[in-house]
Amino acid sequence: MAGRLKGDESMTEIIAMILAGGQGTRLGELTENVVKPAVPFGGKYRIIDFTLSNCINSSIYTVGVLTQYRPRVLSTHLGVGRDWDMDRKSGGLFVLSPYAAAAEGEWYKGTAHAIAQNIDFIDQFSPKYVLVLSGDHVYSMDYNEMLDFHISKGADATISCIRVPISEAYRFGTVITDNTSKVKEFEEKPKNPRSQLASMGIYIFNWKFLKPLLIEDSQNENSTHDFGKDIMPKLVTDDIKFYAYEFEGYWRDVGTIESFWEANIDLTRSMPALNLYDPSWRFYTHSAEMPPAFFGKEAEVVNSLTSEGCIIHGKVENTVLFQGVTVKKGTIVKNSVIMTNVLIGKNCIIENSIIGENSIIGDNCKIGFGDKVKNEKYPNIYSNGISVVGEGVIVDEGSIVGKNSSIGNFLNTKEMEIKEVPSGKNLRIGGLI
Amino acid sequence: MKVLGLILAGEKGQNLGKLTNRRASAAVPVAGKYRAIDFTLSNMVRAGIKKVGVLTQYNPRSLMDHLGSGREWDLDRKNGGLYILQPYVSETSQLWYRGTADAIHQNITVLRRGDEDYVLIGSGDHIYNIDFAPVFKYHLSTSADITILTKSCQGYDPAFYGSVKTDQNERIIDFKEKEKEDPGDKINLGVYFMNKKLMMDLLYSTVPNGKYDLVRDIIIPNIGNLRVMSYKFSGYWRNIKKSLSEYKRTNMDMLNPEVLNELFPPQRKIYTKLKDLAPPKITSTGSVVNSIVADGCIVSGKIFNSVIFRNVNVKAGAIVDDSVVMEGSTIEEGAKIVNCILDKDVTIRTERAYIGYEEPLFFEKWQVV
């Protein structure tokens, strides 16, 4: 998986454009205040770290990150790209936000529009290829292998696909190819999928081929300016060399609470598919400077990740603890994702939960406790028995939080005088709903 | 107030044996992910010092590798920043540093050129976390010529440390360097704060006369004529280069939550070279009790009362007790170590058992045993 060696002149053979503006509505409270690529993942990372690290590990050093929805946390995280060695004299990391031009100012209307708005940016590097990526996915991929495929096929455009169960295929764009991997049909989120090959939202285009296409699309008023909906289907003709590259490896779209929870918990199992410990394919991040994790005399930790700054006196099982988490005596944490700087008091029982950054759980609390009742208000978001406590929440001591329930960001249950959030209910600023 | 920081980091640390065969004592790994020098360096940077000179001499490779451009301490600056000051060959001389004062004297250009008014001299071997701002204030409010950091001698053997006696105003009236007879009630922590011009005058008047030691030849002879004040520091403080047991004890101190809190409070961080390793993973057969475990570790065995550095692999059935295990080491299946210090990249083979009795057993870098 070694990156290709490049001389100076081919430094900008390829540039990557990362689409990082999506809200990720199905992550509920987790993306209330941050954009999906900035959602914490795997103990010390944020989701976009995987895409950025893949770029660096594939020797792609010129990267544009397109932001739009609530970019504060993301922009702070990225900085000048120093943590990914992208603070460079030539190339490097560029945060590209929507801007106002002389005539009018516009938000990015869709993924294709976002790239079209930055044609000038791409042109200044005059790259041969443009790699379009999404900052929403957790995966480990060498883009060079895809680029080699693209070059060997003499392609105009290449889409990266992964095989998914046919029952899941309706959630993706699906691709049908001929025996040379040329794309014969492309369907965006089909009701009755006919192919297992799902689009990963990763494309390589010859820039000379893509540029006129983007200009044309941005002038088309009937278009939704989306790669999956508008651009890719148009490429399925005999005279455009549009190929599908089949990726075999770890790739997850952690777009729902359930898949987010699952992908995190997967990391605690032995030999997980995503190897965070591979010295030749390291994932880089911007993390806080904290001392190593401390395990107290009564700590019992199995099958878990415990990050720097953690102080553990309780029992932790099948759980991902992010940086700076404190678990006090007598507390049991199971099958949960506990984010940065969360403080969990004494004698709590926490199961199947996600707890957001900087939250404080008082003593004797029970979270993820009760019957599996369907969430009344948001059945599609909080499901499968997972409870979500947002960021900066203060849960009063002795409180009970049920299954499939949620507590909104920055709420203080003590001030709200709420001792119980029953299963299937959500606590928001106005009270239980 | 502009302050120049100087860190004395040239020593081998004779008493640390093989631990300092390949590195200066300031580069000795400590507390799971740090090097000794991180503490003094971070203390200085947090105090607003923007120019720090590190005086190196003995085998500096490891130290230089660690410091790099000073980026982790925000010392990669356009103005000021990190200065590595090492002995050099010149037209007129080719000399090693003959002592602490000589080391500074050979680099007097850094003092002369800078626009700083004061100089703060520390050592790369000291493990402590201090806010220097009150020290600076104390220096001014007591009209001191030199302010020396001291600490009550309780728990420290005066045979190993310099000791001082003070009058009722905390002015130092007697200073003994590592003498058993009639020691003072405070030990010298080896941190000196003074006016830069004064420092230069003192150096010009001593070093050319063959007097090379900062304490013996500059500070002690001037106790009577200069106003040398003692600033009493009451926090946690250790010098790691005193002995191998002391080195181990310093590491073990991290298992005391109070010490851990005092050394690494969230508002007064200690910075070090980041490696971006994944969080440590405890597997289904692993357990960790009363220990600290750094990033990148995979623990399938059992760890008790130990300090585990980054990227350590403790395999199933292995037992690690009362030990310090440095970066990149592997404890194979069924192996057992008790009261040991493993330097970097050591491998303890399957089913082997090593138990240190009175003194900890030490394994050198890259050893496979």
Side-chain angles (χ1 to χ4, degrees):
Chain A
M1 295 214 278
R4 60 179 58 203
L5 284 171
K6 288 173 187 164
D8 255 357
E9 53 175 346
S10 57
M11 281 285 281
T12 43
E13 181 190 20
I14 182 164
I15 83 167
M17 298 294 277
I18 303 180
L19 299 161
Q23 181 183 0
T25 45
R26 296 185 68 199
L27 284 171
E29 286 302 307
L30 298 182
T31 49
E32 182 66 29
N33 292 304
V34 299
V35 59
K36 187 174 159 195
V39 169
F41 186 90
K44 65 190 286 194
Y45 308 95
R46 294 189 187 266
I47 290 173
I48 199 170
D49 290 341
F50 295 90
T51 306
L52 282 175
S53 301
N54 287 335
C55 284
I56 278 298
N57 291 336
S58 305
S59 312
I60 297 173
Y61 289 102
T62 307
V63 177
V65 179
L66 298 132
T67 63
Q68 173 146 305
Y69 176 81
R70 290 198 182 267
R72 181 185 59 85
V73 176
L74 183 64
S75 306
T76 313
H77 180 69
L78 297 175
V80 293
R82 168 166 156 162
D83 291 294
W84 299 269
D85 284 343
M86 286 196 191
D87 54 334
R88 302 169 64 85
K89 294 232 164 175
S90 64
L93 179 95
F94 301 86
V95 175
L96 305 167
S97 53
Y99 56 87
E104 53 184 336
E106 273 181 318
W107 294 103
Y108 294 149
K109 287 182 274 189
T111 51
H113 184 243
I115 306 278
Q117 288 287 82
N118 289 290
I119 284 176
D120 289 351
F121 167 78
I122 298 173
D123 267 343
Q124 66 176 325
F125 299 102
S126 46
K128 224 168 161 182
Y129 310 104
V130 172
L131 170 65
V132 177
L133 300 166
S134 155
D136 289 355
H137 303 141
V138 175
Y139 62 117
S140 150
M141 175 174 180
D142 187 345
Y143 302 126
N144 283 313
E145 288 175 19
M146 181 177 170
L147 181 60
D148 287 343
F149 173 90
H150 178 86
I151 294 168
S152 72
K153 290 287 178 188
D156 296 317
T158 300
I159 182 168
S160 183
C161 297
I162 190 161
R163 227 161 256 280
V164 296
I166 198 101
S167 57
E168 289 283 304
Y170 71 94
R171 298 201 287 126
F172 301 94
T174 61
V175 167
I176 295 172
T177 62
D178 68 9
N179 55 7
T180 65
S181 299
K182 189 168 177 343
V183 179
K184 285 286 156 202
E185 283 180 58
F186 182 90
E187 288 181 298
E188 182 68 8
K189 299 189 178 144
K191 288 213 173 69
N192 300 304
R194 291 174 295 142
S195 166
Q196 282 181 280
L197 273 186
S199 162
M200 296 158 67
I202 297 174
Y203 320 104
I204 291 178
F205 296 98
N206 294 347
W207 179 231
K208 278 190 188 136
F209 170 79
L210 179 64
K211 189 175 159 184
L213 219 62
L214 288 175
I215 294 170
E216 189 196 314
D217 178 76
S218 61
Q219 285 158 355
N220 179 355
E221 283 178 13
N222 298 322
S223 169
T224 57
H225 310 294
D226 186 83
F227 270 102
K229 286 194 197 102
D230 305 296
I231 304 277
M232 304 323 281
K234 261 199 247 168
L235 305 182
V236 187
T237 62
D238 284 342
D239 48 339
I240 293 176
K241 290 179 226 148
F242 177 29
Y243 286 88
Y245 167 77
E246 193 177 336
F247 172 70
E248 288 168 353
Y250 182 90
W251 179 85
R252 290 284 182 283
D253 177 15
V254 286
T256 63
I257 291 279
E258 190 191 339
S259 63
F260 173 81
W261 176 86
E262 220 170 64
N264 271 288
I265 301 295
D266 271 348
L267 295 173
T268 69
R269 305 188 203 288
S270 54
M271 307 299 277
L274 177 65
N275 186 359
L276 298 177
Y277 303 88
D278 181 355
S280 66
W281 203 265
R282 217 181 257 180
F283 296 106
Y284 301 92
T285 185
H286 174 75
S287 58
E289 179 65 70
M290 294 192 191
F294 174 76
F295 298 75
K297 292 195 171 92
E298 285 149 70
E300 282 180 57
V301 182
V302 283
N303 276 334
S304 296
L305 296 191
T306 52
S307 306
E308 286 178 338
C310 285
I311 297 173
I312 306 162
H313 294 288
K315 204 170 161 180
V316 179
E317 242 176 76
N318 304 322
T319 289
V320 177
L321 300 182
F322 282 66
Q323 286 190 310
V325 172
T326 302
V327 179
K328 293 201 175 165
K329 273 181 199 166
T331 288
I332 301 173
V333 185
K334 265 188 190 172
N335 306 324
S336 295
V337 180
I338 314 292
M339 293 186 190
T340 313
N341 289 332
V342 170
L343 173 70
I344 302 175
K346 290 177 193 156
N347 305 317
C348 295
I349 299 176
I350 295 173
E351 255 185 281
N352 302 323
S353 299
I354 299 171
I355 300 181
E357 293 171 81
N358 304 319
S359 288
I360 298 172
I361 313 293
D363 296 346
N364 307 309
C365 285
K366 288 179 180 161
I367 297 181
F369 187 78
D371 299 323
K372 259 196 196 180
V373 181
K374 208 171 173 190
N375 194 295
E376 287 166 33
K377 179 103 182 181
Y378 310 106
N380 294 327
I381 297 178
Y382 305 104
S383 60
N384 219 24
I386 299 162
S387 314
V388 177
V389 175
E391 67 170 305
V393 171
I394 297 173
V395 178
D396 194 15
E397 51 178 52
S399 300
I400 294 175
V401 178
K403 290 198 166 88
N404 289 335
S405 60
S406 72
I407 298 180
N409 297 323
F410 306 111
L411 296 183
N412 182 337
T413 69
K414 193 171 182 179
E415 279 173 13
M416 297 175 83
E417 293 180 1
I418 292 206
K419 277 286 181 192
E420 187 177 359
V421 180
S423 295
K425 289 282 189 185
N426 309 287
L427 184 64
R428 292 294 181 273
I429 202 149
L432 283 172
I433 50 171
Chain B
M1 182 156 96
K2 286 193 169 174
V3 181
L4 168 71
L6 289 175
I7 300 179
L8 304 168
E11 269 199 76
K12 174 180 194 286
Q14 293 292 350
N15 302 324
L16 289 179
K18 288 173 177 165
L19 190 55
T20 50
N21 264 1
R22 292 195 179 85
R23 54 173 84 90
S25 56
V28 163
V30 64
K33 63 182 275 203
Y34 303 93
R35 303 279 182 151
I37 197 171
D38 291 341
F39 293 86
T40 296
L41 202 48
S42 303
N43 287 336
M44 285 186 173
V45 168
R46 273 192 279 98
I49 297 181
K50 296 186 172 62
K51 188 194 279 182
V52 178
V54 177
L55 296 136
T56 69
Q57 171 152 290
Y58 176 79
N59 202 345
R61 196 225 23 105
S62 163
L63 185 64
M64 305 276 240
D65 175 357
H66 180 70
L67 295 174
S69 63
R71 162 168 156 163
E72 308 291 354
W73 299 269
D74 285 340
L75 286 173
D76 56 334
R77 305 172 58 88
K78 295 218 166 174
N79 298 307
L82 183 71
Y83 287 63
I84 306 283
L85 306 172
Q86 55 193 33
Y88 53 88
V89 177
S90 72
E91 282 291 303
T92 51
S93 67
Q94 37 183 320
L95 290 173
W96 294 107
Y97 293 153
R98 289 162 293 189
T100 44
D102 184 40
I104 300 173
H105 184 255
Q106 288 198 30
N107 292 291
I108 201 120
T109 320
V110 176
L111 276 75
R112 209 171 52 216
R113 284 229 181 122
D115 58 353
E116 294 84 8
D117 307 311
Y118 296 91
V119 47
L120 176 67
I121 301 170
S123 158
D125 303 326
H126 299 162
I127 312 300
Y128 67 124
N129 187 327
I130 191 177
D131 179 3
F132 277 123
V135 181
F136 300 161
K137 244 185 225 159
Y138 176 87
H139 181 83
L140 298 179
S141 68
T142 58
S143 320
D145 291 317
I146 302 176
T147 298
I148 298 182
L149 223 57
T150 64
K151 188 170 168 45
S152 149
C153 66
Q154 233 167 4
Y156 300 90
D157 186 347
F160 290 111
Y161 299 91
S163 66
V164 300
K165 278 183 194 156
T166 53
D167 66 11
Q168 71 275 24
N169 297 322
E170 297 293 318
R171 181 175 171 179
I172 294 175
I173 47 172
D174 192 20
F175 195 130
K176 294 237 165 67
E177 182 69 342
K178 293 170 195 167
E179 286 171 41
K180 277 206 157 150
E181 274 169 44
D182 188 28
D185 57 344
K186 299 189 184 82
I187 59 162
N188 165 28
L189 300 188
V191 177
Y192 314 97
F193 184 66
M194 67 183 101
N195 188 295
K196 191 178 76 178
K197 287 268 156 47
L198 173 65
M199 173 89 250
M200 287 163 70
D201 280 349
L202 291 170
L203 288 172
Y204 283 136
S205 62
T206 50
V207 176
N209 299 329
K211 293 181 172 169
Y212 303 130
D213 191 78
L214 186 64
V215 175
R216 271 200 191 91
D217 302 324
I218 293 185
I219 292 175
I220 294 181
N222 283 307
I223 289 286
N225 3 336
L226 293 175
R227 197 170 155 80
V228 184
M229 299 297 294
S230 141
Y231 179 91
K232 210 168 156 192
F233 176 64
S234 53
Y236 177 88
W237 182 92
R238 290 268 173 252
N239 182 337
I240 43 113
K241 71 166 186 288
K242 292 298 170 189
S243 72
L244 210 52
S245 329
E246 181 80 357
Y247 168 76
K248 187 180 162 220
R249 192 175 86 174
T250 304
N251 275 288
M252 291 303 166
D253 282 344
M254 306 304 147
L255 306 184
N256 177 349
E258 278 167 30
V259 173
L260 203 63
N261 256 335
E262 212 190 299
L263 274 182
F264 306 105
Q267 70 281 12
R268 285 211 316 269
K269 287 183 187 300
I270 300 295
Y271 298 97
T272 188
K273 186 175 170 185
L274 285 178
K275 296 221 167 147
D276 272 22
L277 298 166
K281 179 169 179 173
I282 321 295
T283 70
S284 55
T285 53
S287 84
V288 184
V289 176
N290 192 32
S291 300
I292 62 174
V293 179
D295 274 3
C297 292
I298 299 181
V299 181
S300 303
K302 300 202 183 313
I303 297 175
F304 308 94
N305 317 313
S306 295
V307 174
I308 312 294
F309 285 66
R310 295 190 271 212
N311 256 342
V312 168
N313 204 338
V314 179
K315 299 202 174 163
I319 293 173
V320 176
D321 191 0
D322 191 25
S323 295
V324 177
V325 182
M326 288 187 216
E327 193 172 328
S329 291
T330 304
I331 322 293
E332 300 274 11
E333 281 90 351
K336 180 179 181 181
I337 54 170
V338 182
N339 191 14
C340 292
I341 299 174
L342 274 56
D343 206 324
K344 287 170 80 175
D345 303 309
V346 168
T347 303
I348 305 289
R349 286 188 287 173
T350 313
E351 304 286 338
R352 297 300 174 96
Y354 294 95
I355 296 164
Y357 291 97
E358 276 166 21
E359 280 282 302
L361 280 180
F362 180 79
F363 296 95
E364 253 180 288
K365 196 169 175 180
W366 298 312
Q367 248 184 313
V368 178
V369 289

